[in-house]
Amino acid sequence: SYCIHISSTLIKYIFPRKKLDFKTAIMETKRILITGSSGYLGQHLLHSLLSSNSSSSNNHEIYALFNSSSTFEQDVSNKHAQEKSVPSHNVKFTLLKLDLTNDEETVKTTIQNLKPHVCIHLAAISSPAIAQRNPDLANALNCPQVLFTCCKELGAQVIALSTDQ
């Protein structure tokens, strides 16, 4: 998929001594945190990771954070039920509604409790017009300092991606 293709070059940074494709590299980690999972890239990445039949996808925890969609939880459940691609019993998949721009203590506590090995940060204000009208919100969401600080303290790799709008 497009999301996996654009991400493959980042693997050299995360796993410098291994020659892996993006999906394999991500699935070699134990706890994966994905922000912006209800967005375009997030939905494609989740679909790819959750429908993986790879033997390397054993005993993983995928935590998908979202905030912008009120129907996202139901949409994900319905989509995977229809496609019969619900994660195997070896993958723990959790959707969490969390606003990265509010209540720093809640964000900090959540990230510290999840203890991710890799954080794929996809949450963003993707519209330049909205970002220009509300630069503080755009900065808070596109570069969430609490998230990045917690990941650094936990030793988690951070991958930040966005579309080119």
Side-chain angles (χ1 to χ4, degrees):
S1 84
Y2 176 72
C3 185
I4 300 305
H5 175 71
I6 63 171
S7 305
S8 62
T9 57
L10 296 170
I11 298 311
K12 292 177 186 171
Y13 173 72
I14 299 171
F15 297 97
R17 295 189 176 99
K18 295 184 179 184
K19 293 185 179 186
L20 303 171
D21 61 53
F22 180 74
K23 185 189 284 187
T24 303
I26 291 303
M27 293 311 288
E28 280 200 0
T29 66
K30 292 294 182 186
R31 285 185 297 278
I32 303 163
L33 175 67
I34 303 170
T35 68
S37 61
S38 62
Y40 178 76
L41 291 176
Q43 289 183 44
H44 286 279
L45 179 60
L46 278 180
H47 175 72
S48 180
L49 294 176
L50 294 178
S51 61
S52 173
N53 294 325
S54 169
S55 61
S56 67
S57 63
N58 292 332
N59 302 313
H60 288 86
E61 300 170 28
I62 299 174
Y63 298 100
L65 302 183
F66 72 100
N67 185 47
S68 64
S69 175
S70 61
T71 63
F72 182 64
E73 283 182 279
Q74 188 62 43
D75 293 344
V76 169
S77 297
N78 289 342
K79 181 175 184 174
H80 290 290
Q82 289 171 357
E83 295 177 359
K84 297 182 177 23
S85 61
V86 177
S88 74
H89 64 281
N90 293 329
V91 177
K92 177 183 175 188
F93 174 64
T94 307
L95 285 171
L96 298 168
K97 187 165 178 70
L98 181 67
D99 185 348
L100 295 173
T101 64
N102 287 339
D103 190 12
E104 291 183 1
E105 197 56 41
T106 300
V107 173
K108 184 177 180 178
T109 301
T110 300
I111 303 308
Q112 288 173 338
N113 288 339
L114 297 177
K115 296 178 179 61
H117 294 120
V118 171
C119 172
I120 305 172
H121 177 58
L122 306 174
I125 301 290
S126 61
S127 165
I130 294 173
Q132 288 175 349
R133 283 195 304 270
N134 200 338
D136 291 339
L137 176 62
N139 188 50
L141 185 56
N142 295 8
C143 302
Q145 293 305 305
V146 174
L147 172 69
F148 293 162
T149 300
C150 286
C151 286
K152 182 178 180 179
E153 290 170 356
L154 293 168
Q157 295 286 334
V158 176
I159 301 169
L161 299 173
S162 67
T163 55
D164 63 351
Q165 260 193 2

